[in-house]
Amino acid sequence: MSDKRYLVIHGHFYQPPRKNPWSGSVPAQPTAAPFANWNQRIARECYSPNSVARILGDDGLIVKIVNNFEHISFNVGPTLLIWLKEEARETYDRIVAADKKASAAKNGHGPALAQVFNHVIMPLADSRDKLTQVVWGRYFFELTFGRAPEGMWLAETAVDSESLRLIKENGMKFTILGQNQIDSVRALSPDGSPGTEAFQKLRSPADPREPYRVFWGEGRGDYTDCFVYDGQVSRAVAFENLLRDGESFKNRIMEAFGAPREGPPLLVNLATDGESYGHHFHFGEMALAWIIDNLEKAARGDGAPVLTNYAEYLSLYPPRKEARIVENSSWSCAHGIERWRSDCGCHTGGDPTWNQRWRAPLREGFDYLRGELKEILERESPGVLKDPWEARNDYIKVLAADYDPRVVREFLERHCPADPDDQVKRVKAMELMEAQLMGLYMFTSCAWFFDDIAGLEPVQNMRYAARAIELSQKHSPKDLTRGLLDRLRRAVPNDKSYQTGEDVWNSEVAGTSLNAFQIAAQWGASLAMKTPLSKGAGRYAKVQNETFERVRLDPADELPQLFIGQADFTEIRLGCTYPRRTLVLADNGPRLDIRVTEEQEEAFLKARRVFLERGPEALRNSLDTLFPGAARHTLDTLWPGVRDEILTGVLKDFFEDLLNYASKAFTNYQDALSSYSLKSQAWDWMDAFVFRVMAENELAHILKPMAEGRPIDLDHLREHLTLDSGGSNRNTPVISQAAEAYLGNLFRQLKYGPGRPSLLEEIWGFLSLVKSSLKEVDLWDSQNQFHQLLEKRLSFLRSMSESEKDLLKKIGKILGFSGKIAETVITHQPQ
């Protein structure tokens, strides 16, 4: 009997692929407000805070910052890792560093697990898709963490024997299941081979305090080890507000060990969505950090559990028991895996009158399309791909490299029997692979998890299906869209704005694709209005060999104008190039009329003559005749990023003039307005409104240098903030975000370079104003930068004068740090 005990806390961190399948950028998602999309919002509420979790003292000041990822077990889905690397790099780097540091401390057994690539329900996938999901998940893990994974997370812990086999055959040892996913157990033979006793059917959930060995074949090595997480404690974390304080969390964990028993040390392990720690439960990451800190301190005494990860525990204590799994079971559906294909009764707790009968037609529609895509791949591959399935499994290298031309060429050299520079075959090979990628993405589990086919996630998966069809239709005699819609028509949405799933498709999916004509329209509009091509459209196509002219009736006037251009547009992913001619008629501000064709040079010459001889309105009325059949593009049909840039550019001068006028007027009448606001019994609403607008404009004018990385006039700001602005809200999101970005920029200058000699004074002066007058400014990022400064730049600190060190301590205090942290680090004493 051992009195040693171990604890594993596993977090499943994941977001579905959210990128637009044409542009490769994440579109705006209004439900995530005030953030641009759900990835941004949850990163700020959960992923980033868990990499820099605060531990507070009794006085509410920060006494320690913990990277929770160093101490727990975790998997981060590849589609989320891709986004974090691009959009939240500091968080991504801290997660990777956490695994490296923990691995070194635990004999090479790191806390990170791989995950099936885009979170498909493995028992519902066919054998080829299962293999690709495992191969891609393993490759992306190795690329991210620089080591081989020892375990793999199955989406929703949905399991069958084939998935366990693929995990083991691809070099991984274990996975994690729920207690109810174990059907029966028996003792293993002493040498670890299958037992000889009869299996005992479980009448209660499996004991989660030790791992199990599950054999999926006849050979002695044909097994995958499985941990089962403690369901009661995990549910308490996920649904019962156990994270309200660290002490309650700790007590519940200790109770779960139960009485000592014979055998290896007991293991308590819990697994939840990682989003529980900060997103679902505000400050949940702090409760987790408190647990980690207290357990590590207690581990120095007798009887306290050792915080570890699954891989380390398995290396020390292999399974003693053999188990049979409940085939086709999962952790979030009491009916096995029905949540992802039928109206089983599992839902997210929304409107009780809603049903999920739409799930089956959606699954059937995608199953139909998957079959067609695979038939196309096999039929069209001869002469293009040596082995289409081997090529698909290897395509992860192209995706992970974000379509780097060198990596694409290496891929084509490996898998194309012909010359990889053969443009026709190269494009066809990439089309076939991209169609397969989209076919995998359309099965991402979130489309069925939530409560309506018209929701964000099902629509996103439909867009992947639309892109797959777009890439494949020319290789099929069947109408693939019609075949899919024949099934979606049987889906009845709960949202009564739509009658069928076909209506959802027609409203939310059809017409949202990009092509060379649309990109040419974006390009022409951007150049005509002198704005940059948007990030989304710019990621889709590369523009080359561009020539253009601007024709104006009056050279002194910007508008009206006629823009005529020609360029080659190369789809970045496919490598195919399309020459296009573009005409943009612009007048009356952002009033645009755009036509794009392949040639028709004579039509462009005629348009030019009409514009010069008869004016813009005559040309506008002639465009349909001059360009018969050419689609008309306007400001409203442009890619959102391009449209926003154009509107911003058009209105920029207007706002600049307004700001300058308001600033001058405010200065001239400031004393009178301020006196009136103090002495008047009540503001007339119009007076109050005008004063508030002027005050806000003046504040924006003062803060404007922030965006350019220049110092601001602190005296001017201080004077302005002492005014009573008639109810003006100085903590508007725009002002708060500007202040937060400005502070972050100042700290980064301090961290990465000597910066200006007055940098510390600037930070101190601005922080003092923030604390007194801009109380809603979030200092979280500044706290992180300050803490990193203390951790990483000791040589820089040693070169500081005593007065500078005193100032740095004051900055730490105003940021909310305990004085002990700054004192011990600045004076170079170990904490």
Side-chain angles (χ1 to χ4, degrees):
M1 182 178 297
S2 172
D3 62 353
K4 199 170 187 180
R5 296 181 291 181
Y6 286 86
L7 170 66
V8 174
I9 301 172
H10 183 84
H12 164 53
F13 297 90
Y14 155 75
Q15 290 298 311
R18 297 190 185 277
K19 292 183 177 180
N20 180 287
W22 291 275
S23 73
S25 59
V26 179
Q29 296 171 326
T31 56
F35 295 88
N37 56 65
W38 279 102
N39 280 10
Q40 278 190 12
R41 177 169 171 175
I42 301 176
R44 179 59 184 85
E45 294 174 349
C46 174
Y47 310 131
S48 297
N50 271 286
S51 69
V52 282
R54 275 65 165 155
I55 296 176
L56 306 182
D58 294 338
D59 55 3
L61 298 177
I62 301 169
V63 297
K64 193 172 186 179
I65 289 184
V66 176
N67 187 339
N68 286 343
F69 291 99
E70 285 181 24
H71 307 278
I72 64 173
S73 169
F74 66 89
N75 67 284
V76 182
T79 52
L80 173 57
L81 280 170
I82 290 170
W83 184 87
L84 287 171
K85 188 174 183 179
E86 294 174 352
E87 304 294 339
R89 187 55 188 256
E90 289 184 350
T91 299
Y92 172 90
D93 288 342
R94 287 193 288 261
I95 291 172
V96 173
D99 180 76
K100 183 176 182 179
K101 185 174 179 179
S103 298
K106 296 186 180 297
N107 298 316
H109 300 293
L113 276 66
Q115 179 199 289
V116 292
F117 187 75
N118 64 283
H119 215 263
V120 304
I121 302 303
M122 291 288 275
L124 291 174
D126 67 17
S127 296
R128 291 195 185 279
D129 283 3
K130 287 177 184 175
L131 176 59
T132 299
Q133 287 288 322
V134 173
V135 169
W136 284 17
R138 178 190 169 98
Y139 177 85
F140 202 84
F141 180 95
E142 292 179 342
L143 184 69
T144 301
F145 295 103
R147 65 176 180 87
E150 296 186 73
M152 173 165 272
W153 179 269
L154 298 172
E156 303 290 342
T157 75
V159 70
D160 61 358
S161 293
E162 185 178 30
S163 298
L164 293 181
R165 174 178 64 80
L166 290 171
I167 287 174
K168 184 65 174 290
E169 289 179 351
N170 282 275
M172 289 163 284
K173 302 172 184 175
F174 68 89
T175 191
I176 305 165
L177 303 175
Q179 289 175 263
N180 292 321
Q181 293 181 265
I182 300 297
D183 175 78
S184 52
V185 299
R186 68 181 178 185
L188 275 172
S189 296
D191 63 355
S193 61
T196 57
E197 302 172 358
F199 276 97
Q200 299 296 310
K201 182 82 171 179
L202 294 179
R203 300 186 182 279
S204 59
D207 189 340
R209 297 179 296 170
E210 60 181 314
Y212 298 87
R213 181 154 293 173
V214 178
F215 285 87
W216 37 259
E218 300 298 323
R220 182 170 173 173
D222 294 345
Y223 66 82
T224 303
D225 292 334
C226 297
F227 290 89
V228 293
Y229 66 87
D230 188 304
Q232 289 189 343
V233 181
S234 299
R235 276 192 298 275
V237 169
F239 304 111
E240 299 172 16
N241 205 25
L242 186 59
L243 297 176
R244 64 187 181 275
D245 70 83
E247 192 67 45
S248 299
F249 191 8
K250 177 183 174 183
N251 291 339
R252 190 66 177 271
I253 288 171
M254 301 307 293
E255 291 170 6
F257 281 103
R261 67 178 184 187
E262 295 292 336
L266 292 174
L267 170 71
V268 165
N269 73 106
L270 51 144
T272 66
D273 285 335
E275 288 77 16
S276 295
Y277 303 104
H279 172 56
H280 298 311
F281 297 102
H282 199 37
F283 300 127
E285 83 285 354
M286 294 175 66
L288 179 58
W290 187 91
I291 281 286
I292 290 168
D293 191 54
N294 276 265
L295 288 177
E296 289 198 328
K297 291 175 182 175
R300 299 169 191 148
D302 295 332
V306 177
L307 199 59
T308 186
N309 61 60
Y310 288 115
E312 185 191 36
Y313 185 90
L314 190 63
S315 72
L316 298 173
Y317 308 105
R320 299 179 307 150
K321 293 180 181 178
E322 180 184 355
R324 285 177 174 166
I325 61 169
V326 178
E327 296 282 351
N328 301 331
S329 60
S330 68
W331 77 341
S332 56
C333 178
H335 316 94
I337 52 174
E338 295 306 307
R339 185 169 193 155
W340 298 277
R341 64 179 175 186
S342 71
D343 185 13
C344 67
C346 292
H347 55 83
T348 57
D351 191 322
T353 66
W354 283 13
N355 67 74
Q356 283 74 48
R357 288 191 288 273
W358 55 268
R359 287 174 178 161
L362 183 64
R363 172 69 58 180
E364 291 164 9
F366 288 166
D367 282 344
Y368 156 79
L369 184 55
R370 173 173 60 190
E372 294 297 324
L373 293 175
K374 292 189 173 181
E375 184 179 315
I376 290 168
L377 178 63
E378 292 184 332
R379 185 176 64 246
E380 299 295 325
S381 286
V384 178
L385 294 167
K386 298 173 187 175
D387 182 329
W389 302 112
E390 182 180 330
R392 188 179 81 164
N393 288 340
D394 198 39
Y395 196 61
I396 181 60
K397 295 175 184 175
V398 172
L399 178 62
D402 197 21
Y403 301 86
D404 181 284
R406 177 183 58 82
V407 177
V408 171
R409 179 175 177 79
E410 290 172 354
F411 170 83
L412 294 171
E413 288 175 345
R414 285 193 301 275
H415 297 287
C416 293
D419 180 357
D421 291 325
D422 184 322
Q423 182 71 3
V424 174
K425 290 185 177 179
R426 169 201 165 96
V427 170
K428 187 173 183 179
M430 294 299 289
E431 283 178 339
L432 293 173
M433 289 294 97
E434 278 293 291
Q436 288 297 308
L437 170 63
M438 298 298 149
L440 290 167
Y441 274 175
M442 73 184 177
F443 282 106
T444 302
S445 68
C446 299
W448 293 268
F449 187 86
F450 297 99
D451 290 348
D452 194 34
I453 191 173
L456 189 68
E457 291 79 9
V459 167
Q460 179 74 357
N461 285 26
M462 288 185 211
R463 290 192 177 120
Y464 292 128
R467 177 59 172 160
I469 291 172
E470 185 177 79
L471 292 161
S472 306
Q473 184 60 74
K474 64 183 176 184
H475 303 303
S476 175
K478 302 177 184 178
D479 186 335
L480 300 179
T481 302
R482 180 49 49 199
L484 174 60
L485 294 183
D486 285 345
R487 283 123 179 121
L488 294 184
R489 198 177 299 117
R490 299 198 300 269
V492 179
N494 291 298
D495 183 341
K496 299 309 177 186
S497 303
Y498 313 94
Q499 291 186 345
T500 71
E502 182 179 18
D503 293 336
V504 177
W505 175 279
N506 290 334
S507 174
E508 305 298 332
V509 179
T512 61
S513 69
L514 281 177
N515 57 42
F517 287 96
Q518 291 160 319
I519 288 293
Q522 324 285 347
W523 168 77
S526 295
L527 284 180
M529 304 306 292
K530 299 181 180 179
T531 60
L533 194 63
S534 76
K535 180 180 178 182
R539 285 176 65 98
Y540 177 87
K542 179 171 60 176
V543 184
Q544 297 172 299
N545 304 322
E546 54 185 332
T547 60
F548 58 88
E549 69 167 328
R550 302 178 193 276
V551 184
R552 294 192 178 98
L553 295 177
D554 184 343
D557 293 332
E558 282 290 313
L559 295 174
Q561 71 161 340
L562 182 67
F563 172 93
I564 298 176
Q566 181 173 351
D568 294 335
F569 301 89
T570 301
E571 284 193 50
I572 291 172
R573 293 188 175 187
L574 302 183
C576 47
T577 300
Y578 309 94
R580 295 287 182 264
R581 289 179 177 271
T582 304
L583 174 146
V584 182
L585 174 60
D587 68 316
N588 189 26
R591 188 182 180 203
L592 304 179
D593 210 320
I594 308 167
R595 296 295 192 278
V596 180
T597 68
E598 295 185 39
E599 286 299 333
Q600 298 187 24
E601 182 175 359
E602 183 62 29
F604 284 88
L605 293 175
K606 289 181 179 178
R608 191 177 190 278
R609 285 198 298 271
V610 171
F611 178 76
L612 290 173
E613 294 172 7
R614 297 166 52 197
E617 201 58 37
L619 175 57
R620 192 179 302 281
N621 294 331
S622 304
L623 287 174
D624 289 339
T625 303
L626 290 170
F627 301 96
R632 179 182 180 229
H633 301 273
T634 66
L635 185 68
D636 288 339
T637 66
L638 294 178
W639 196 254
V642 175
R643 182 172 64 242
D644 293 346
E645 289 286 353
I646 287 174
L647 288 173
T648 300
V650 169
L651 296 175
K652 183 178 179 181
D653 291 342
F654 167 74
F655 284 126
E656 188 70 28
D657 290 345
L658 180 64
L659 185 63
N660 290 333
Y661 175 79
S663 179
K664 184 183 294 185
F666 188 88
T667 301
N668 291 340
Y669 295 99
Q670 166 176 313
D671 292 341
L673 287 167
S674 180
S675 177
Y676 181 68
S677 71
L678 292 171
K679 296 176 182 178
S680 176
Q681 294 297 314
W683 277 81
D684 175 84
W685 76 268
M686 180 59 75
D687 294 337
F689 174 77
V690 170
F691 185 78
R692 184 162 62 250
V693 169
M694 294 177 72
E696 291 295 341
N697 278 338
E698 176 67 4
L699 183 56
H701 184 78
I702 296 170
L703 298 179
K704 185 178 178 181
M706 288 181 178
E708 302 163 2
R710 295 186 289 109
I712 60 174
D713 187 337
L714 288 178
D715 290 335
H716 191 182
L717 177 61
R718 187 179 295 107
E719 178 184 353
H720 179 77
L721 292 178
T722 59
L723 282 173
D724 180 341
S725 57
S728 173
N729 178 12
R730 301 188 185 102
N731 293 313
T732 62
V734 171
I735 292 171
S736 296
Q737 290 168 16
E740 291 157 21
Y742 180 64
L743 273 172
N745 180 53
L746 291 180
F747 275 108
R748 284 178 177 85
Q749 289 182 50
L750 196 62
K751 188 170 68 172
Y752 293 117
R756 298 185 293 274
S758 61
L759 205 51
L760 280 174
E761 286 84 355
E762 285 180 44
I763 292 173
W764 167 249
F766 189 72
L767 271 174
S768 300
L769 277 176
V770 163
K771 293 294 283 188
S772 63
S773 303
L774 291 172
K775 294 182 172 30
E776 297 302 314
V777 173
D778 188 347
L779 297 177
W780 180 81
D781 182 54
S782 296
Q783 291 170 344
N784 295 337
Q785 301 303 325
F786 179 80
H787 189 258
Q788 286 185 23
L789 175 69
L790 297 186
E791 280 191 327
K792 306 295 185 184
R793 298 210 62 198
L794 293 182
S795 60
F796 162 77
L797 297 172
R798 291 189 187 99
S799 67
M800 298 176 76
S801 67
E802 289 303 316
S803 61
E804 288 174 325
K805 289 179 182 179
D806 288 340
L807 193 53
L808 199 59
K809 293 174 190 176
K810 290 180 180 179
I811 290 172
K813 185 175 181 180
I814 204 169
L815 285 173
F817 284 92
S818 165
K820 183 179 178 182
I821 289 185
E823 182 68 33
T824 54
V825 175
I826 291 172
T827 56
H828 317 305
Q829 300 298 319
Q831 291 190 55

